[in-house]
Amino acid sequence: MHNRCKTLAGLISQLRDLGLGDRVLTHPAALAAFGSDGLAVLHTRPAAVVVAETIQEVVQIVRVCHREQVPFVARGSGTSLSGGALPIEDGIVIALNRLDSVLRIDDVERIAVVEPGVINARVSEAAAPFGLTYAPDPSSQAVCTIGGNVAFNSGGAHCLLHGMTSNHVLGITAVLPDGTIVELGGDSTEQVGPDWAGLFCGSEGLFGIAIEITLRLLPIAEAAHTTLAVYDSLEAAGDAVAQIVAAGMLPVAIEIMDSLAIEAAEASVKPGYPRGAALLIVELEGERVVVDADAIQLRELLASGATELRATGDPAGRALIWKGRKSAFSAVGWLAPNYIVQDGVVPRTRLGETLAEIERLSAEFGLRIANVFHAGDGNLHPLILFDGAEPGALDRAEALGREILLVCLKAGGSVTGEHGIGMEKRELLSLMFSEDDMALMRRLRHTVDPAELANRGKMLPPPPVVT
Amino acid sequence: LTVAIAIDSVDAVRDAVRDGPSVLPVGGGSKPALSTPPTGDVVALDMRPLSGIVEYDPRELTVTALAGTAVAQLRDALAAHRQHLPFDPPLVGSGATLGGVVATGAAGPSAFCHGGVRDFVIGVRFVDGTGTLVGGGGKVVKNAAGFDFAKLMVGSIGRLGVLVELSFKVFPGPGVRATAILDFGDTPSALAAMARLGRAPFRIEALDLQPPARLLVRFAGSAELPGRVCELAGREPTEVLDGDREARLWRRASELGWVGSGATLVRAAITLRRAPDLLALLADAGAQARLSLGANVAWIAWPSDKPLDPLDRWLHMQRSLGMVLTGRPERLLIGRSRGGAFAARVRDALDPDRRFPEA
């Protein structure tokens, strides 16, 4: 204990010596704000929070942590839903929000070079004057940062056509946990040699911190068209998704919300959704003439099963539809004091039976579930509602969440589509991968970071005890 | 001189890696420099018997196949359901296998719109340097669980593991396509048009430059599109192709049919801004080239009787990397390697006993 205190005191004075001054926060009240991330049920107190303002400072802070062997976690806006940005007890939080410069937009090479603290939506804003956009659009895009998106390989509604964050990250300059700086990938969309940047993406901070990121930008499509279809059952909405795929259409997004999620959205941001058991949102984009023709085909396809159809190519109308969808997580706060959001994935053809199983589990556990999901790619977001004041309710909600993820695994899916493993799903990772897979992941982690300084305790479950 | 073992099972791969001393997986031999063991003590593993589609449900828009499967076989199976691999794997007609395509990491010209190999590999199983079968990713299109070994294997040319099974995301299509051939007065005007077309608000599938100044623009869409492409390019087309002639043009591009036998084929990752300088260097050296994917990649036919040094130096200066695909496997990578200490540590973890040769 004495040694640890001495180390921390030494560390903090070394951090202050870097000229960080009052940006080294140690007062309990200041630290409290950093105690949790988007997974609010977990809370930890770090030894200090260091607010970095330059890339050079980030590197120096990592080097001090390495020298003193104190663990650290990099943090952007703290929106992780899996506890990925949860501080490490007595470790350092490196706050990256002030590293928020879009360093360069190159319209000829169609890239953006950014610092890790840049807000996701800011990239598209900066690219828009050039007719370009940054495709990954997590629901939290108005606040979440690119650094966090890279660490957790974040997704979003438009992944269906465009892919996840890692598909749009061309290059990363990273500081490894021992302070070494490396360059991964580059500025071309094509790579030669192993995809080091691809491996770094989604590594949940375990390989260090991305300090400069080169992103691929896409041309803004000249036309986009969003269709809302109402169904009298979740199953009917699910069938419509299968029909769209069977017709050979390639929408940019296909989303479903159930009645509880619709109710929540209406209670909060009031998108004016029609009422029904399920709502399907399908977005098309591309050449105007083609989008117009596809929209007609889509309408004909959906007309037989839907009880109501609305469609719009108008930007304001589309924005309102998406506002309801993207605020769904926070909106369920109107329905219950607390909720847990899950992020399982199933093969698309197993969606119907998985939803039925979730409904059965909801009844069995006596907890309401609102379903909002990326139906096109089989990525479910069951929002489990509970009242934290009720004894045992959190445990029951967590147990229900775990059951749902086991259903996803059994169907051949994944325990996380876009939120990451974080703190939340560590033991589930080893149910998804073999012992040999897990051993390799651990070996890789230890080769890159033998002392487990970078985001210690996240993603990888503690190794099995050898008896 | 070299020993080759026919691989027909995962166990055979594991045994071969464990027996050593060092192994090199080999597919259809369409990229000969990558398929030739660099030294006599490296055992070639003929992966072609490890072949077949493991799982394909067209409704899922995903497919899983063994690494030795010929890309042509998968292409035909997908086409039967009007689906395809959007990264347009090259050299399919020369016998390319799925493992070889992923290990090379090279996409074909029609990958311009939807992305390259890394964007469509969703799961991988491979034997690492300890002879252990491991995997990453999965069979679902969206997945953020665990380290992304599927991406790591893209471009790894057999130096981090022997691929045994791959899962891909596939797309419906391709639709009916047409191609505009646009000839410009000089390279700078052709490249300027290329940059404008790269930002087109409609879908362009392929965007190639045939030096010095010919653009090949492939698109699928309405009847208005040829006119719009030309307007954006600021050029009347020399010709607009469709049907068989159009398909043949791109097949030939994808097969690299223009590369003469007296040339060493190099694939280099570049960007449009670097293109003028590279083209000048290539002209000086008497090399042929084609810039593909909106000038994000250069396919270079370098005269075999000339050393690659000037190209190596240029790539190094540009912080770019090239892969030598034909000729003697003395130097597979030229230019500036990426990854540094991270790459070295990943390699230490995956291949601690150096069962795979140096690149």
Side-chain angles (χ1 to χ4, degrees), chain A residues 60-201:
Chain A
Q60 287 173 328
I61 295 163
V62 169
R63 287 180 180 162
V64 168
C65 287
H66 180 253
R67 195 157 58 228
E68 296 299 327
Q69 295 284 288
V70 171
F72 61 87
V73 50
R75 182 181 173 110
S77 298
T79 55
S80 171
L81 293 168
S82 59
L86 186 77
I88 300 151
E89 186 89 50
D90 291 331
I92 299 297
V93 171
I94 306 175
L96 300 174
N97 308 66
R98 292 191 190 174
L99 289 161
D100 61 353
S101 297
V102 174
L103 299 170
R104 192 156 67 86
I105 300 276
D106 187 325
D107 62 326
V108 168
E109 303 196 330
R110 297 188 305 281
I111 56 169
V113 182
V114 304
E115 292 183 331
V118 168
I119 303 287
N120 172 296
R122 172 82 190 102
V123 181
S124 283
E125 278 168 30
F130 304 97
L132 299 169
T133 186
Y134 175 63
D137 62 335
S139 293
S140 54
Q141 70 187 119
V143 279
C144 65
T145 64
I146 295 295
N149 292 174
V150 167
F152 282 79
N153 195 13
S154 306
H158 293 76
C159 286
L160 178 60
L161 182 68
H162 295 307
M164 307 188 19
T165 296
S166 67
N167 301 110
H168 299 270
V169 171
L170 302 180
I172 296 172
T173 303
V175 53
L176 299 182
D178 64 355
T180 309
I181 295 171
V182 293
E183 289 181 1
L184 316 174
D187 48 10
S188 171
T189 60
E190 282 285 283
Q191 303 210 353
V192 170
D195 188 359
W196 308 116
L199 177 65
F200 195 92
C201 276

Side-chain angles (χ1 to χ4, degrees), chain B residues 187-232:
Chain B
T187 304
S189 344
L191 288 172
M194 199 177 211
R196 288 196 297 277
L197 288 163
R199 291 190 298 273
F202 47 81
R203 211 166 278 169
I204 285 180
E205 296 211 354
L207 183 55
D208 277 20
L209 172 81
Q210 234 173 34
R214 167 169 281 195
L215 286 190
L216 301 143
V217 191
R218 188 179 215 187
F219 44 84
S222 77
E224 296 168 13
L225 222 42
R228 295 187 64 191
V229 164
C230 298
E231 194 188 325
L232 200 52

Side-chain angles (χ1 to χ4, degrees), chain A residues 106-110 130-132 152-153 155-156 159-164 166-170 176-178 180 182-204 206-207 216 219-223 245-250 285-290 345-350 374 376-377 379 412-421 429 432-434 436-437 440-445 447-449 459-460, chain B residues 57-62 82-83 104-107 111-120 126 128 130 132-149 151-156 160 169-173 194-195 197-203 207 220-225 228 267-274 293-297 319-323 333 336 338-352:
Chain A
D106 187 325
D107 62 326
V108 168
E109 303 196 330
R110 297 188 305 281
F130 304 97
L132 299 169
F152 282 79
N153 195 13
C159 286
L160 178 60
L161 182 68
H162 295 307
M164 307 188 19
S166 67
N167 301 110
H168 299 270
V169 171
L170 302 180
L176 299 182
D178 64 355
T180 309
V182 293
E183 289 181 1
L184 316 174
D187 48 10
S188 171
T189 60
E190 282 285 283
Q191 303 210 353
V192 170
D195 188 359
W196 308 116
L199 177 65
F200 195 92
C201 276
S203 59
E204 305 202 357
L206 269 58
F207 293 152
R216 167 166 77 134
I220 299 172
E222 66 180 352
V245 172
M249 299 187 85
L250 192 57
E285 67 173 37
E287 188 193 352
R288 189 172 304 282
V289 183
V290 174
V345 188
V346 294
R348 302 176 235 234
T349 54
R350 311 289 293 271
H374 308 300
D377 34 35
N379 187 193
S414 171
V415 296
T416 174
E418 53 186 7
H419 298 172
I421 299 292
L429 191 67
M432 188 171 159
F433 290 104
S434 73
D436 287 337
D437 299 341
L440 177 60
M441 284 193 233
R442 283 201 187 89
R443 195 162 79 229
L444 180 54
R445 153 69 149 172
T447 317
V448 175
D449 182 12
M459 189 170 102
L460 294 172
Chain B
D57 179 344
R59 295 172 305 161
E60 286 292 352
L61 292 170
T62 59
R82 291 190 298 152
Q83 295 182 351
T104 312
F112 179 69
C113 141
H114 291 306
V117 183
R118 70 191 298 261
D119 299 311
F120 290 90
F126 63 98
D128 71 9
T130 68
T132 309
L133 176 69
V134 287
K139 292 175 179 173
V140 284
V141 293
K142 210 167 167 192
N143 193 350
F147 294 138
D148 196 344
F149 291 121
K151 283 215 174 49
L152 177 65
M153 287 296 135
V154 175
S156 62
L160 295 172
K169 174 164 98 166
V170 303
F171 275 172
M194 199 177 211
L197 288 163
R199 291 190 298 273
F202 47 81
R203 211 166 278 169
L207 183 55
S222 77
E224 296 168 13
L225 222 42
R228 295 187 64 191
R267 174 180 167 268
I270 61 159
T271 59
L272 202 145
R273 286 193 193 280
R274 294 178 173 96
L293 300 167
N296 277 284
V297 70
R319 304 152 73 84
S320 295
L321 190 62
M323 188 181 282
L333 297 175
R336 186 181 157 113
R338 313 294 288 189
F342 184 66
R345 291 177 205 177
V346 173
R347 191 174 173 211
D348 284 346
L350 266 68
D351 184 20

Side-chain angles (χ1 to χ4, degrees), chain B residues 44 56-57 82 93-94 102 110 163 176 181 248 253 277 298 309 331:
Chain B
Y56 175 44
D57 179 344
R82 291 190 298 152
S94 314
V102 171
S110 295
L163 296 168
V176 178
I181 298 176
R248 260 202 313 278
D277 207 27
D309 299 347
R331 246 168 121 191

